[in-house]
Amino acid sequence: MIETKTGGELDAMRAAGRVVARALETVRGAAAIGVSLRELDEVAAGVIAEEGAKSSFLGYHPAWAPSPYPGVLCTSVNDAVVHGIPTGYRLRDGDLVSVDFGASIDGWHGDAAISFVVGTADPADLRLIGTTAEALAAGIAQMREGNRLGDIGAAVSVIGRRAGYGLLAEHGGHGIGKAMHEAPHVPNEARPGTGAPLRAGMVLAIEPMFHAGGRDGYRRDDDGWTLHTANGSRAAHVEHTVAITPDGPEIFTVLP
């Protein structure tokens, strides 16, 4: 069942979204050559504490994972697409970093991701990031009453495929609310006009994940969490938590 949220529940999710947006902005500001991924995780944990929030990621243990997730951030570098564990790795000039973060307030979750380059940026990386962000915006634009779930994936995929990028196989966005992951699964590639109808009060996390090498495949790291592109090409990941309203989509994971 795809849940719709009441006005008060949407307000609670707006509050969680603002925490997520602030944490990602703070982490991006702290990311620099020589800074470790674990140090970025500590920065995000500090924002959680200051806001009186809870981490959506720390201790999360889906059935496929070998152990509970050990951080509050997912920090995926270069050919890592998603779920990268924050380790002692220190950022280098030109690293492409994707940071995913979730937090809850009073049990209501927000979830978002950003990608950026540390130091000197390769134009190809900037194009990859920009195209992924363009696809996110296109998917969000489809979040209107009367459309269907497949319209979101169709909008995302046409931008990625046209640019020659791969889309992370078997992964996409999701519903979000009292749980970080709720129904429905939101595919990043679908036929327009298919899937469940979109209704006001639905809240979805839309998250394109593009591979520069044009292939969709991935491999799982020995840590059991991190997913890498199968061919070693670089990847970008962006995400927002978005509500469908009678007036159109509203992004929760932005600062006012």
Side-chain angles (χ1 to χ4, degrees):
M1 177 182 293
I2 304 174
E3 294 183 354
T4 57
K5 276 66 176 179
T6 66
E9 292 167 346
L10 292 173
D11 285 341
M13 294 191 71
R14 287 185 184 96
R18 287 192 292 270
V19 174
V20 172
R22 184 191 161 206
L24 287 174
E25 182 180 76
T26 304
V27 166
R28 181 168 189 163
I33 297 168
V35 174
S36 75
L37 302 180
R38 191 171 292 120
E39 288 167 342
L40 294 182
D41 195 67
E42 292 168 357
V43 168
V47 174
I48 290 172
E50 290 169 8
E51 296 282 357
K54 293 184 178 179
S55 171
S56 301
F57 293 3
L58 183 64
Y60 179 60
H61 195 181
W64 52 262
S67 59
Y69 192 74
V72 303
L73 290 179
C74 291
T75 50
S76 305
V77 180
N78 297 331
D79 71 316
V81 192
V82 289
H83 305 160
I85 292 174
T87 65
Y89 175 84
R90 295 193 176 276
L91 295 171
R92 302 170 184 172
D93 188 37
D95 276 346
L96 195 168
V97 185
S98 296
V99 178
D100 193 357
F101 177 79
S104 66
I105 295 281
D106 296 329
W108 292 95
H109 293 262
D111 187 9
I114 58 174
S115 290
F116 55 89
V117 177
V118 174
T120 307
D122 186 317
D125 288 342
L126 295 181
R127 176 176 173 267
L128 173 63
I129 294 168
T131 303
T132 312
E134 180 186 355
L136 173 61
I140 290 171
Q142 295 300 315
M143 291 183 61
R144 297 181 178 276
E145 290 185 289
N147 283 354
R148 289 186 172 270
L149 197 62
D151 295 323
I152 299 171
V156 168
S157 61
V158 71
I159 290 174
R161 297 300 188 195
R162 186 182 295 151
Y165 297 138
L167 281 66
L168 181 65
E170 305 166 353
H171 289 75
H174 51 90
I176 185 169
K178 269 290 192 181
M180 179 172 59
H181 293 120
E182 295 183 348
H185 171 67
V186 184
N188 282 329
E189 189 160 36
R191 288 188 295 112
T194 62
L198 302 180
R199 294 174 289 147
M202 288 182 178
V203 185
L204 306 175
I206 309 301
E207 50 179 322
M209 294 160 275
F210 288 175
H211 301 178
R215 303 282 184 86
D216 297 354
Y218 64 89
R219 64 174 180 84
R220 193 179 302 276
D221 195 280
D222 291 342
D223 64 22
W225 280 96
T226 310
L227 303 185
H228 297 265
T229 59
N231 59 6
S233 64
R234 293 196 172 200
H237 173 208
V238 293
E239 177 184 16
H240 273 308
T241 295
V242 187
I244 300 171
T245 79
D247 299 320
E250 180 186 349
I251 301 173
F252 285 172
T253 43
V254 291
L255 293 174

